[in-house]
Amino acid sequence: MRKIYKISGLILLVVIISVIAIVVIKSKKNKSGSGEDLGRIVMNLENLDYCDIGDMKGYDMSECESLSGKVETDKTITGLYYEVLDKGGRVLKHEDIDVSKEWVIDSVPLSVPGSYVKVCATLSGGGVITHEEWFHNDSFSRLEGLDIDMSDADNDGIETYLELVAGTDPNNADTDGDGLNDYIELIEIGTDPLKVDSNGDGKPDGDDDADEDGLTNIEEARLGTYTWGLFTDEDLLTDYEEVKIYGTDPLNRDTDGDGKDDDWEVDNGYNPLVADNAFITTVSEVGKGTVVSVKVKADPGKLSSLKVSAVEFRPEIPGYMGDGYELVMNGSFDSAEVTYYFDSANLVMNGFAPKVYRLDVEEDELYPIDTVWDHENAYVTATLDRPAIFVILNSAIFEGSGY
């Protein structure tokens, strides 16, 4: 059963409209049957906002747990207690308070969207003085200790007491019979669970599309996808695209379980329904005088660590053509094809022969890598067999320099 942690729709019986309280304390004079003034009970309300929601006028106690006040009487107080009541007057909790003219209730339990709290003092001679106020509450953490029915007989995700507050049938998951259960209507999309056609557009609420993703509310209810959001599994394919276009699972961002999200596979030309052992991704970087594009094929779990960054090489190196680059990745890869772009002005140089070299950091040596160049374009390609620092040089100058 889904627990309720937010309130919307009809239960905005709960929404708070805050107005600064004009009354600092609230009290009520009490008289005996003979007209004798017995005194009054005062509630300290100066820190609570006054709320006016329909016929439920009272104070917002959502952020305040304790309640205090005074008993102003010339009589002897023989007993003191408080009661929490629902809007129909049913007692949800009865508890004694330490007898004192200055009373405190440390933690006041309240139902949602609120409850009456009544403080009562019994006096010598048999008199009783009382005072009660309605307190709004939108926190479900305040329910403990109340005599309310927390069962969910119809398994719609809404406790029985809330169904009674909302007016829905606690024994029928879909009170209005529009194909959407009461939880979806009350909590998720805010339609009226007592009306088949809440917005009066001539269609049942189940045939509407609350989140405008292309799937009807009832389709999403059957699929288990969000009726209020486009991306249930957060993979950036909308629920509609997953169900109607790609056939992927809208509840699983990696339908085929190969380590790449469905949207990434679609964007990069892979089939999100077929698991792949390796993927190809391309990373580009701009350096001084050169640009590289590195296409790496590797296990998807390793590709996330792939990084290519420019590395400055000394211009005095014979055959210098610009920056080198470092390819970093956790673990090995199947292949890494480097496309190295350079200044086209080099093409007119006599004997020009561009080649990619790998730097052995421990030996401080540059080793040539097989390089392909078609002699007409200002780029070459080479293949790395490991993460490395690499650079392009004019081999016609470098290899004859003895550097």
Side-chain angles (χ1 to χ4, degrees):
M1 181 183 77
R2 290 181 285 187
K3 287 294 180 184
I4 302 174
Y5 296 104
K6 63 179 182 178
I7 308 171
S8 63
L10 285 185
I11 297 187
L12 69 75
L13 293 170
V14 187
V15 174
I16 304 300
I17 304 173
S18 296
V19 179
I20 297 177
I22 298 174
V23 181
V24 171
I25 59 175
K26 191 109 179 230
S27 64
K28 178 182 179 182
K29 290 184 177 180
N30 293 260
K31 293 185 179 182
S32 67
S34 62
E36 179 188 6
D37 185 357
L38 299 177
R40 64 179 184 172
I41 291 177
V42 175
M43 289 185 180
N44 297 328
L45 305 171
E46 64 269 22
N47 294 321
L48 302 178
D49 290 337
Y50 184 75
C51 306
D52 184 353
I53 303 178
D55 60 349
M56 296 291 102
K57 298 176 174 62
Y59 295 85
D60 177 14
M61 209 169 178
S62 298
E63 303 298 328
C64 178
E65 292 193 359
S66 64
L67 185 63
S68 63
K70 297 178 181 180
V71 180
E72 297 180 348
T73 181
D74 294 332
K75 302 282 186 179
T76 300
I77 305 171
T78 59
L80 193 61
Y81 63 92
Y82 78 93
E83 292 179 335
V84 178
L85 305 94
D86 64 18
K87 64 180 182 179
R90 187 171 71 90
V91 176
L92 305 178
K93 185 178 180 67
H94 175 107
E95 187 169 285
D96 291 336
I97 308 172
D98 292 338
V99 174
S100 172
K101 287 197 172 184
E102 293 190 2
W103 53 269
V104 176
I105 307 171
D106 290 326
S107 182
V108 181
L110 295 171
S111 64
V112 175
S115 305
Y116 288 104
V117 176
K118 180 167 70 172
V119 178
C120 306
T122 56
L123 307 175
S124 57
V128 178
I129 55 177
T130 66
H131 181 70
E132 73 177 40
E133 292 290 341
W134 174 267
F135 293 96
H136 294 285
N137 170 55
D138 61 6
S139 172
F140 287 90
S141 65
R142 306 285 288 275
L143 303 179
E144 188 173 351
L146 296 179
D147 180 20
I148 56 178
D149 189 348
M150 295 293 288
S151 67
D152 181 14
D154 57 8
N155 294 313
D156 63 357
I158 306 178
E159 289 85 349
T160 294
Y161 97 95
L162 266 182
E163 298 228 39
L164 295 175
V165 170
T168 53
D169 184 349
N171 296 304
N172 182 356
D174 180 11
T175 299
D176 58 9
D178 63 0
L180 301 176
N181 74 29
D182 296 337
Y183 180 96
I184 291 174
E185 298 216 58
L186 278 172
I187 307 304
E188 293 188 358
I189 59 177
T191 49
D192 189 341
L194 305 178
K195 293 181 179 180
V196 173
D197 180 14
S198 297
N199 60 8
D201 65 354
K203 297 186 297 183
D205 293 337
D207 291 339
D208 289 331
D209 179 10
D211 56 10
E212 299 181 347
D213 65 354
L215 297 175
T216 65
N217 294 332
I218 199 165
E219 283 181 302
E220 303 226 50
R222 289 168 178 166
L223 290 165
T225 53
Y226 293 155
T227 51
W228 45 269
L230 303 181
F231 310 100
T232 301
D233 60 8
E234 300 181 354
D235 66 358
L236 300 185
L237 291 180
T238 68
D239 295 336
Y240 177 88
E241 290 174 325
E242 300 224 41
V243 174
K244 300 294 186 178
I245 298 177
Y246 300 110
T248 48
D249 184 351
L251 306 179
N252 182 359
R253 62 192 304 158
D254 179 14
T255 298
D256 57 15
D258 61 6
K260 282 296 183 182
D261 290 352
D262 296 338
D263 64 307
W264 187 93
E265 296 206 45
V266 169
D267 290 344
N268 289 274
Y270 292 91
N271 186 342
L273 302 176
V274 177
D276 295 277
N277 295 322
F279 291 97
I280 296 175
T281 191
T282 301
V283 179
S284 298
E285 181 71 6
V286 178
K288 189 192 309 179
T290 58
V291 177
V292 294
S293 176
V294 184
K295 184 165 64 175
V296 179
K297 182 178 182 181
D299 179 277
K302 298 174 182 177
L303 281 175
S304 60
S305 65
L306 175 63
K307 183 180 180 180
V308 176
S309 55
V311 175
E312 185 175 357
F313 270 71
R314 297 187 302 275
E316 61 268 25
I317 293 177
Y320 172 83
M321 295 174 59
D323 277 349
Y325 297 87
E326 182 176 19
L327 186 156
V328 176
M329 194 178 79
N330 294 335
S332 60
F333 45 73
D334 295 346
S335 64
E337 182 181 279
V338 176
T339 302
Y340 218 127
Y341 300 88
F342 52 83
D343 188 344
S344 60
N346 290 294
L347 295 175
V348 298
M349 190 182 303
N350 289 332
F352 179 62
K355 185 177 291 187
V356 178
Y357 293 79
R358 177 180 60 83
L359 174 64
D360 187 312
V361 177
E362 292 184 3
E363 298 179 5
D364 195 27
E365 292 285 343
L366 288 168
Y367 292 93
I369 300 173
D370 288 342
T371 304
V372 177
W373 175 49
D374 65 6
H375 300 271
E376 293 182 0
N377 296 301
Y379 67 86
V380 297
T381 58
T383 301
L384 297 175
D385 61 1
R386 72 196 82 174
I389 295 174
F390 54 95
V391 65
I392 187 171
L393 299 172
N394 183 352
S395 63
I397 299 174
F398 177 74
E399 294 182 3
S401 68
Y403 184 83

